[in-house]
Amino acid sequence: MENEIKLAAGAMVSLAVATAALVVLPYMEVRDITPPEGLKPYTSAQLRGREVYIANGCVYCHTQQPRDRNLGPDHARGWGRASVPGDYVYDKPHLLGSMRTGPDLFNIGARQPSKDWHLGHLYQPRAYVPGSIMPSYPYLFETKAAAEPGDEVVKLPPGQGPEGKVVVARPEALDLVKYLQALDHTYPVLPPPPRSAAGPAARPAS
């Protein structure tokens, strides 16, 4: 009986330590995080697009957390600075991701701001990135004999669309593209360096 009590007490202590280290302390560090000045809340269309992103499993192949340049080649790949907790203030739940079958999308809105590119890439990825293993999403689009008023016609490269017809983006595709365009974290997160009280150093006389 004594051994069982010691075992139970040890398990409770281990659980308490783990909870403090993995839950309580991290929460205390980030509970008062404020959004960076350049970060804007998502619009209603962007939030709908975020739901489309989640529903189609984009988070399983794409991360949204570039690493520090000293920890990996993310910066050299053009994915931007390392992310900080304040970048995710409006992300509930966060979509950090853990697999990089495709590139990191933390700054895809800055790297690729074109709506036409995103729509075409969703319809047929290999028309824009040869050899891409990303699946196409034809159900986010509609094929018509002719466009109707208000339709968003996808501008595809020659030979990539159905012959004699047009491809029209559904509302879900348009919302998803608006969300992707919103992924632009190029604003500064560090305060500017303090200026010297004496002002800039004088140039030596020629």
Side-chain angles (χ1 to χ4, degrees):
M1 185 65 180
E2 183 178 351
N3 289 337
E4 286 81 353
I5 294 175
K6 290 181 179 179
L7 180 62
M12 294 298 293
V13 170
S14 298
L15 178 61
V17 171
T19 302
L22 300 176
V23 179
V24 178
L25 293 179
Y27 170 76
M28 293 176 66
E29 288 184 2
V30 302
R31 62 179 176 178
D32 297 324
I33 292 294
T34 57
E37 186 175 343
L39 181 64
K40 298 178 181 179
Y42 294 115
T43 65
S44 56
Q46 291 164 356
L47 285 173
R48 292 195 302 269
R50 193 171 186 271
E51 292 302 316
V52 177
Y53 182 97
I54 294 172
N56 284 277
C58 302
V59 69
Y60 297 115
C61 292
H62 296 281
T63 59
Q64 291 186 28
Q65 50 171 334
R67 295 169 292 183
D68 184 89
R69 66 180 64 194
N70 296 320
L71 300 177
D74 296 3
H75 187 270
R77 291 169 175 167
W79 294 349
R81 61 167 175 79
S83 57
V84 298
D87 293 322
Y88 306 103
V89 167
Y90 301 119
D91 288 82
K92 295 180 173 57
H94 67 71
L95 301 175
L96 298 179
S98 59
M99 291 287 292
R100 281 185 177 163
T101 307
D104 186 275
L105 299 182
F106 185 70
N107 274 309
I108 187 61
R111 298 201 311 269
Q112 187 51 265
S114 170
K115 175 178 68 174
D116 291 336
W117 188 93
H118 281 294
L119 288 172
H121 184 246
L122 289 170
Y123 181 77
Q124 179 48 270
R126 280 151 293 285
Y128 297 82
V129 183
S132 172
I133 61 172
M134 173 177 162
S136 58
Y137 297 91
Y139 50 86
L140 296 178
F141 303 87
E142 186 176 356
T143 301
K144 295 184 176 182
E148 301 174 7
D151 282 346
E152 182 72 44
V153 178
V154 181
K155 300 176 179 63
L156 294 166
Q160 296 298 328
E163 187 175 352
K165 296 184 179 182
V166 296
V167 177
V168 175
R170 295 183 184 274
E172 295 86 352
L174 295 173
D175 288 340
L176 176 55
V177 169
K178 289 177 181 176
Y179 169 66
L180 294 173
Q181 290 176 310
L183 296 179
D184 181 348
H185 300 89
T186 53
Y187 48 79
V189 293
L190 297 176
R195 293 185 178 182
S196 172
R203 290 186 175 181
S206 58

PDB file of all heavy atoms in Angstrom, residues 59-80:
ATOM      1  N   VAL A  59      -3.421  23.727 -43.771  1.00  0.00           N
ATOM      2  CA  VAL A  59      -2.490  23.771 -42.639  1.00  0.00           C
ATOM      3  C   VAL A  59      -1.661  22.496 -42.526  1.00  0.00           C
ATOM      4  O   VAL A  59      -0.612  22.488 -41.889  1.00  0.00           O
ATOM      5  CB  VAL A  59      -3.272  24.022 -41.331  1.00  0.00           C
ATOM      6  CG1 VAL A  59      -4.120  22.822 -40.963  1.00  0.00           C
ATOM      7  CG2 VAL A  59      -2.341  24.391 -40.192  1.00  0.00           C
ATOM      8  N   TYR A  60      -2.094  21.410 -43.183  1.00  0.00           N
ATOM      9  CA  TYR A  60      -1.338  20.164 -43.089  1.00  0.00           C
ATOM     10  C   TYR A  60      -0.108  20.154 -43.999  1.00  0.00           C
ATOM     11  O   TYR A  60       0.786  19.313 -43.822  1.00  0.00           O
ATOM     12  CB  TYR A  60      -2.231  18.969 -43.427  1.00  0.00           C
ATOM     13  CG  TYR A  60      -3.370  18.794 -42.463  1.00  0.00           C
ATOM     14  CD1 TYR A  60      -4.692  18.940 -42.866  1.00  0.00           C
ATOM     15  CD2 TYR A  60      -3.121  18.506 -41.120  1.00  0.00           C
ATOM     16  CE1 TYR A  60      -5.741  18.803 -41.973  1.00  0.00           C
ATOM     17  CE2 TYR A  60      -4.161  18.371 -40.218  1.00  0.00           C
ATOM     18  CZ  TYR A  60      -5.474  18.515 -40.653  1.00  0.00           C
ATOM     19  OH  TYR A  60      -6.513  18.384 -39.768  1.00  0.00           O
ATOM     20  N   CYS A  61      -0.056  21.069 -44.964  1.00  0.00           N
ATOM     21  CA  CYS A  61       1.086  21.123 -45.884  1.00  0.00           C
ATOM     22  C   CYS A  61       1.842  22.440 -45.827  1.00  0.00           C
ATOM     23  O   CYS A  61       2.916  22.548 -46.428  1.00  0.00           O
ATOM     24  CB  CYS A  61       0.620  20.893 -47.324  1.00  0.00           C
ATOM     25  SG  CYS A  61       0.021  19.226 -47.658  1.00  0.00           S
ATOM     26  N   HIS A  62       1.275  23.450 -45.168  1.00  0.00           N
ATOM     27  CA  HIS A  62       1.903  24.770 -45.122  1.00  0.00           C
ATOM     28  C   HIS A  62       1.995  25.258 -43.680  1.00  0.00           C
ATOM     29  O   HIS A  62       1.027  25.146 -42.915  1.00  0.00           O
ATOM     30  CB  HIS A  62       1.095  25.792 -45.927  1.00  0.00           C
ATOM     31  CG  HIS A  62       1.039  25.489 -47.392  1.00  0.00           C
ATOM     32  ND1 HIS A  62       2.071  25.779 -48.254  1.00  0.00           N
ATOM     33  CD2 HIS A  62       0.054  24.931 -48.147  1.00  0.00           C
ATOM     34  CE1 HIS A  62       1.734  25.418 -49.489  1.00  0.00           C
ATOM     35  NE2 HIS A  62       0.522  24.891 -49.444  1.00  0.00           N
ATOM     36  N   THR A  63       3.141  25.805 -43.331  1.00  0.00           N
ATOM     37  CA  THR A  63       3.302  26.445 -42.032  1.00  0.00           C
ATOM     38  C   THR A  63       3.058  27.947 -42.172  1.00  0.00           C
ATOM     39  O   THR A  63       2.962  28.487 -43.268  1.00  0.00           O
ATOM     40  CB  THR A  63       4.723  26.225 -41.483  1.00  0.00           C
ATOM     41  OG1 THR A  63       5.667  26.763 -42.427  1.00  0.00           O
ATOM     42  CG2 THR A  63       5.002  24.752 -41.266  1.00  0.00           C
ATOM     43  N   GLN A  64       2.965  28.597 -41.017  1.00  0.00           N
ATOM     44  CA  GLN A  64       2.904  30.058 -40.957  1.00  0.00           C
ATOM     45  C   GLN A  64       3.803  30.513 -39.806  1.00  0.00           C
ATOM     46  O   GLN A  64       3.385  31.245 -38.920  1.00  0.00           O
ATOM     47  CB  GLN A  64       1.459  30.546 -40.751  1.00  0.00           C
ATOM     48  CG  GLN A  64       0.545  30.315 -41.942  1.00  0.00           C
ATOM     49  CD  GLN A  64      -0.819  30.931 -41.762  1.00  0.00           C
ATOM     50  OE1 GLN A  64      -1.001  31.931 -41.054  1.00  0.00           O
ATOM     51  NE2 GLN A  64      -1.831  30.344 -42.392  1.00  0.00           N
ATOM     52  N   GLN A  65       5.066  30.072 -39.832  1.00  0.00           N
ATOM     53  CA  GLN A  65       5.996  30.406 -38.757  1.00  0.00           C
ATOM     54  C   GLN A  65       7.440  30.319 -39.256  1.00  0.00           C
ATOM     55  O   GLN A  65       8.135  29.335 -39.007  1.00  0.00           O
ATOM     56  CB  GLN A  65       5.787  29.480 -37.549  1.00  0.00           C
ATOM     57  CG  GLN A  65       5.745  27.991 -37.882  1.00  0.00           C
ATOM     58  CD  GLN A  65       5.767  27.128 -36.649  1.00  0.00           C
ATOM     59  OE1 GLN A  65       6.268  27.516 -35.599  1.00  0.00           O
ATOM     60  NE2 GLN A  65       5.215  25.934 -36.750  1.00  0.00           N
ATOM     61  N   PRO A  66       7.909  31.347 -39.966  1.00  0.00           N
ATOM     62  CA  PRO A  66       9.308  31.332 -40.406  1.00  0.00           C
ATOM     63  C   PRO A  66      10.260  31.284 -39.215  1.00  0.00           C
ATOM     64  O   PRO A  66      10.002  31.893 -38.170  1.00  0.00           O
ATOM     65  CB  PRO A  66       9.463  32.654 -41.167  1.00  0.00           C
ATOM     66  CG  PRO A  66       8.077  33.073 -41.498  1.00  0.00           C
ATOM     67  CD  PRO A  66       7.208  32.552 -40.410  1.00  0.00           C
ATOM     68  N   ARG A  67      11.349  30.588 -39.382  1.00  0.00           N
ATOM     69  CA  ARG A  67      12.350  30.480 -38.329  1.00  0.00           C
ATOM     70  C   ARG A  67      13.348  31.629 -38.417  1.00  0.00           C
ATOM     71  O   ARG A  67      13.489  32.280 -39.448  1.00  0.00           O
ATOM     72  CB  ARG A  67      13.086  29.148 -38.447  1.00  0.00           C
ATOM     73  CG  ARG A  67      12.217  27.933 -38.199  1.00  0.00           C
ATOM     74  CD  ARG A  67      12.921  26.654 -38.581  1.00  0.00           C
ATOM     75  NE  ARG A  67      13.121  26.578 -40.016  1.00  0.00           N
ATOM     76  CZ  ARG A  67      13.672  25.530 -40.636  1.00  0.00           C
ATOM     77  NH1 ARG A  67      14.078  24.490 -39.936  1.00  0.00           N
ATOM     78  NH2 ARG A  67      13.817  25.525 -41.946  1.00  0.00           N
ATOM     79  N   ASP A  68      14.053  31.842 -37.315  1.00  0.00           N
ATOM     80  CA  ASP A  68      15.124  32.828 -37.292  1.00  0.00           C
ATOM     81  C   ASP A  68      16.196  32.440 -38.310  1.00  0.00           C
ATOM     82  O   ASP A  68      16.434  31.255 -38.552  1.00  0.00           O
ATOM     83  CB  ASP A  68      15.727  32.901 -35.884  1.00  0.00           C
ATOM     84  CG  ASP A  68      16.785  33.981 -35.759  1.00  0.00           C
ATOM     85  OD1 ASP A  68      16.411  35.123 -35.435  1.00  0.00           O
ATOM     86  OD2 ASP A  68      17.972  33.669 -35.980  1.00  0.00           O
ATOM     87  N   ARG A  69      16.833  33.435 -38.893  1.00  0.00           N
ATOM     88  CA  ARG A  69      17.829  33.150 -39.929  1.00  0.00           C
ATOM     89  C   ARG A  69      18.997  32.317 -39.413  1.00  0.00           C
ATOM     90  O   ARG A  69      19.710  31.687 -40.204  1.00  0.00           O
ATOM     91  CB  ARG A  69      18.337  34.457 -40.540  1.00  0.00           C
ATOM     92  CG  ARG A  69      19.133  35.351 -39.597  1.00  0.00           C
ATOM     93  CD  ARG A  69      19.581  36.609 -40.326  1.00  0.00           C
ATOM     94  NE  ARG A  69      18.458  37.426 -40.735  1.00  0.00           N
ATOM     95  CZ  ARG A  69      18.556  38.421 -41.618  1.00  0.00           C
ATOM     96  NH1 ARG A  69      19.709  38.696 -42.187  1.00  0.00           N
ATOM     97  NH2 ARG A  69      17.494  39.150 -41.925  1.00  0.00           N
ATOM     98  N   ASN A  70      19.212  32.292 -38.102  1.00  0.00           N
ATOM     99  CA  ASN A  70      20.279  31.477 -37.526  1.00  0.00           C
ATOM    100  C   ASN A  70      19.857  30.034 -37.301  1.00  0.00           C
ATOM    101  O   ASN A  70      20.691  29.196 -36.943  1.00  0.00           O
ATOM    102  CB  ASN A  70      20.738  32.078 -36.195  1.00  0.00           C
ATOM    103  CG  ASN A  70      21.359  33.456 -36.357  1.00  0.00           C
ATOM    104  OD1 ASN A  70      22.102  33.686 -37.301  1.00  0.00           O
ATOM    105  ND2 ASN A  70      21.042  34.363 -35.447  1.00  0.00           N
ATOM    106  N   LEU A  71      18.581  29.733 -37.487  1.00  0.00           N
ATOM    107  CA  LEU A  71      18.074  28.387 -37.218  1.00  0.00           C
ATOM    108  C   LEU A  71      17.646  27.642 -38.471  1.00  0.00           C
ATOM    109  O   LEU A  71      17.261  26.481 -38.395  1.00  0.00           O
ATOM    110  CB  LEU A  71      16.881  28.474 -36.248  1.00  0.00           C
ATOM    111  CG  LEU A  71      17.176  29.095 -34.885  1.00  0.00           C
ATOM    112  CD1 LEU A  71      15.894  29.183 -34.061  1.00  0.00           C
ATOM    113  CD2 LEU A  71      18.232  28.288 -34.143  1.00  0.00           C
ATOM    114  N   GLY A  72      17.673  28.298 -39.619  1.00  0.00           N
ATOM    115  CA  GLY A  72      17.255  27.638 -40.843  1.00  0.00           C
ATOM    116  C   GLY A  72      17.301  28.591 -42.021  1.00  0.00           C
ATOM    117  O   GLY A  72      17.555  29.784 -41.864  1.00  0.00           O
ATOM    118  N   PRO A  73      17.041  28.075 -43.221  1.00  0.00           N
ATOM    119  CA  PRO A  73      17.165  28.895 -44.438  1.00  0.00           C
ATOM    120  C   PRO A  73      15.903  29.680 -44.792  1.00  0.00           C
ATOM    121  O   PRO A  73      15.768  30.146 -45.921  1.00  0.00           O
ATOM    122  CB  PRO A  73      17.459  27.838 -45.502  1.00  0.00           C
ATOM    123  CG  PRO A  73      16.699  26.636 -45.039  1.00  0.00           C
ATOM    124  CD  PRO A  73      16.764  26.661 -43.531  1.00  0.00           C
ATOM    125  N   ASP A  74      14.965  29.814 -43.865  1.00  0.00           N
ATOM    126  CA  ASP A  74      13.690  30.444 -44.194  1.00  0.00           C
ATOM    127  C   ASP A  74      13.861  31.866 -44.735  1.00  0.00           C
ATOM    128  O   ASP A  74      13.193  32.267 -45.688  1.00  0.00           O
ATOM    129  CB  ASP A  74      12.775  30.474 -42.961  1.00  0.00           C
ATOM    130  CG  ASP A  74      12.407  29.075 -42.497  1.00  0.00           C
ATOM    131  OD1 ASP A  74      12.911  28.099 -43.094  1.00  0.00           O
ATOM    132  OD2 ASP A  74      11.621  28.948 -41.548  1.00  0.00           O
ATOM    133  N   HIS A  75      14.730  32.648 -44.109  1.00  0.00           N
ATOM    134  CA  HIS A  75      14.935  34.025 -44.563  1.00  0.00           C
ATOM    135  C   HIS A  75      15.545  34.053 -45.961  1.00  0.00           C
ATOM    136  O   HIS A  75      15.142  34.858 -46.812  1.00  0.00           O
ATOM    137  CB  HIS A  75      15.836  34.774 -43.574  1.00  0.00           C
ATOM    138  CG  HIS A  75      15.970  36.237 -43.879  1.00  0.00           C
ATOM    139  ND1 HIS A  75      16.955  36.726 -44.704  1.00  0.00           N
ATOM    140  CD2 HIS A  75      15.227  37.314 -43.496  1.00  0.00           C
ATOM    141  CE1 HIS A  75      16.832  38.038 -44.808  1.00  0.00           C
ATOM    142  NE2 HIS A  75      15.790  38.417 -44.089  1.00  0.00           N
ATOM    143  N   ALA A  76      16.492  33.151 -46.224  1.00  0.00           N
ATOM    144  CA  ALA A  76      17.114  33.086 -47.551  1.00  0.00           C
ATOM    145  C   ALA A  76      16.111  32.663 -48.619  1.00  0.00           C
ATOM    146  O   ALA A  76      16.252  33.028 -49.794  1.00  0.00           O
ATOM    147  CB  ALA A  76      18.299  32.114 -47.526  1.00  0.00           C
ATOM    148  N   ARG A  77      15.086  31.932 -48.232  1.00  0.00           N
ATOM    149  CA  ARG A  77      14.044  31.523 -49.173  1.00  0.00           C
ATOM    150  C   ARG A  77      13.034  32.635 -49.459  1.00  0.00           C
ATOM    151  O   ARG A  77      12.147  32.465 -50.286  1.00  0.00           O
ATOM    152  CB  ARG A  77      13.293  30.309 -48.611  1.00  0.00           C
ATOM    153  CG  ARG A  77      14.123  29.032 -48.559  1.00  0.00           C
ATOM    154  CD  ARG A  77      13.418  27.956 -47.757  1.00  0.00           C
ATOM    155  NE  ARG A  77      14.133  26.691 -47.791  1.00  0.00           N
ATOM    156  CZ  ARG A  77      13.878  25.656 -46.995  1.00  0.00           C
ATOM    157  NH1 ARG A  77      12.915  25.753 -46.085  1.00  0.00           N
ATOM    158  NH2 ARG A  77      14.559  24.544 -47.098  1.00  0.00           N
ATOM    159  N   GLY A  78      13.187  33.751 -48.753  1.00  0.00           N
ATOM    160  CA  GLY A  78      12.274  34.869 -48.977  1.00  0.00           C
ATOM    161  C   GLY A  78      10.993  34.794 -48.196  1.00  0.00           C
ATOM    162  O   GLY A  78      10.014  35.469 -48.537  1.00  0.00           O
ATOM    163  N   TRP A  79      10.985  34.017 -47.113  1.00  0.00           N
ATOM    164  CA  TRP A  79       9.758  33.844 -46.340  1.00  0.00           C
ATOM    165  C   TRP A  79       9.578  34.899 -45.267  1.00  0.00           C
ATOM    166  O   TRP A  79       8.571  34.909 -44.569  1.00  0.00           O
ATOM    167  CB  TRP A  79       9.727  32.450 -45.707  1.00  0.00           C
ATOM    168  CG  TRP A  79       9.621  31.361 -46.733  1.00  0.00           C
ATOM    169  CD1 TRP A  79       9.350  31.504 -48.060  1.00  0.00           C
ATOM    170  CD2 TRP A  79       9.794  29.957 -46.518  1.00  0.00           C
ATOM    171  NE1 TRP A  79       9.345  30.296 -48.693  1.00  0.00           N
ATOM    172  CE2 TRP A  79       9.613  29.318 -47.770  1.00  0.00           C
ATOM    173  CE3 TRP A  79      10.088  29.183 -45.403  1.00  0.00           C
ATOM    174  CZ2 TRP A  79       9.710  27.937 -47.927  1.00  0.00           C
ATOM    175  CZ3 TRP A  79      10.186  27.810 -45.562  1.00  0.00           C
ATOM    176  CH2 TRP A  79       9.993  27.191 -46.805  1.00  0.00           C
ATOM    177  N   GLY A  80      10.554  35.779 -45.107  1.00  0.00           N
ATOM    178  CA  GLY A  80      10.406  36.888 -44.168  1.00  0.00           C
ATOM    179  C   GLY A  80      11.086  36.645 -42.839  1.00  0.00           C
ATOM    180  O   GLY A  80      11.719  35.611 -42.607  1.00  0.00           O
TER     181      GLY A  80
END
